[in-house]
Amino acid sequence: MNASTIRYDNTNYTITGNIVLSKNIGDLIGVIKKNVNDFPKENYEANNNIEVGTKLYKIKNENITNAIVVKENNNYFKAVIMKYIKSTK
């Protein structure tokens, strides 16, 4: 099974199994607006059954270009940037 992927700020992030503690959750930066079957190509899209309405957050004291937080089922998971995935159009 492929890892779940979300697109934020024109960048794809892979959701990891790493839980982020609530004390490290920063500001809300967005909400997933669409679920797609392939890799997300537009901002606020996700694949692999990430629900529309899933919230995205900054991680306190971490650069947003490295990782963000995805809230799923009342847990906060770290999502890391996918640097070497090429989009096919």
Side-chain angles (χ1 to χ4, degrees):
M1 184 171 137
N2 293 329
S4 295
T5 305
I6 60 103
R7 186 156 182 97
Y8 169 76
D9 196 24
N10 298 315
T11 304
N12 283 350
Y13 292 80
T14 298
I15 301 171
T16 70
N18 298 334
I19 292 177
V20 179
L21 299 176
S22 59
K23 68 180 183 178
N24 296 324
I25 305 298
D27 296 332
L28 178 70
I29 57 173
V31 177
I32 296 300
K33 295 179 181 176
K34 184 177 181 183
N35 189 278
V36 296
N37 292 326
D38 198 12
F39 279 114
K41 294 182 176 87
E42 301 291 327
N43 287 326
Y44 305 108
E45 286 184 346
N47 68 5
N48 291 341
N49 300 316
I50 299 300
E51 294 182 15
V52 170
T54 297
K55 294 180 180 179
L56 310 175
Y57 296 88
K58 288 183 178 181
I59 299 174
K60 289 181 183 176
N61 302 318
E62 187 158 343
N63 191 328
I64 203 163
T65 59
N66 294 327
I68 61 175
V69 174
V70 177
K71 183 179 181 184
E72 280 192 288
N73 301 321
N74 294 319
N75 289 310
Y76 296 92
F77 294 99
K78 188 173 192 176
V80 295
I81 194 169
M82 298 177 67
K83 294 184 180 184
Y84 303 108
I85 299 292
K86 293 183 180 180
S87 178
T88 56
K89 288 189 177 184

